[in-house]
Amino acid sequence: MKAKFDLPEDQNEAELNQNMMASLVGYHCRRASAALDPFSHPRMAAFHLRPGDFAVLSLLRANPDVSQKRVAEGIGVSAPNLAPILDRLESRGLIARERSLSDKRVQTLSLTVDGLPLCREAEKTAAALESEATAMLNGAERRQLIALLQKVYVK
């Protein structure tokens, strides 16, 4: 006896109509993001970093002694949302906060002696994972994809 919600056999095997989802850029971005997400990969998990942690470390490696305000702007979060990330990284000894010499109201951030090598290795691992995940794209396609995505979120 068939259960009340079982579909006829031919309907179970028929190709799903995904026209609505297939027309949504966000749907494709979410699927691509899931395929590219290095933070779900065991090689990246070894660093015990969340995406926001990684973004802050990477930004600080490229921009030492930058203000908290600029870091928040750089990773696209509000100052209140940045605070727990900084607390977490500071408690792990990966970043240091110091008062600016030129303006005592401003706190600057930098990587610590422990933070720098961890950041380098995490960046290298993330880049390798992304390279593997996007191996089907050539250089021009990769640059075009990045440019198109930036058009969506850069104001």
Side-chain angles (χ1 to χ4, degrees):
M1 181 172 142
K2 282 191 168 201
K4 185 176 181 179
F5 298 106
D6 280 351
L7 296 173
E9 193 62 35
D10 58 337
Q11 209 167 359
N12 275 328
E13 302 302 318
E15 191 171 319
L16 292 173
N17 180 338
Q18 298 181 352
N19 291 343
M20 178 58 192
M21 292 182 300
S23 71
L24 299 172
V25 172
Y27 172 76
H28 292 287
C29 285
R30 186 183 58 74
R31 294 282 307 263
S33 178
L36 291 169
D37 181 16
F39 297 97
S40 62
H41 196 282
R43 285 173 22 211
M44 198 67 186
F47 298 105
H48 305 287
L49 296 172
R50 298 176 187 183
D53 300 345
F54 176 80
V56 168
L57 293 177
S58 186
L59 195 62
L60 292 179
R61 187 167 95 77
N63 305 277
D65 300 317
V66 67
S67 73
Q68 285 185 217
K69 180 181 179 189
R70 294 203 53 217
V71 169
E73 291 168 355
I75 67 169
V77 300
S78 66
N81 289 337
L82 179 63
I85 297 171
L86 298 180
D87 290 344
R88 191 168 44 250
L89 294 172
E90 188 175 39
S91 73
R92 288 183 60 189
L94 302 177
I95 66 164
R97 299 185 221 203
E98 296 179 8
R99 290 279 166 212
S100 168
L101 297 175
S102 61
D103 184 348
K104 298 293 182 194
R105 298 170 296 167
V106 175
Q107 233 178 15
T108 60
L109 305 168
S110 59
L111 294 178
T112 62
V113 175
D114 292 336
L116 182 59
L118 183 130
C119 180
R120 281 187 183 133
E121 286 303 309
E123 286 179 335
K124 190 174 6 173
T125 301
L129 290 168
E130 183 167 296
S131 180
E132 293 165 16
T134 60
M136 73 295 296
L137 301 175
N138 64 36
E141 290 170 330
R142 190 174 191 285
R143 288 186 297 277
Q144 181 182 24
L145 177 59
I146 290 170
L148 291 170
L149 291 170
Q150 285 176 332
K151 282 179 94 169
V152 172
Y153 70 85
V154 173
K155 305 288 183 224

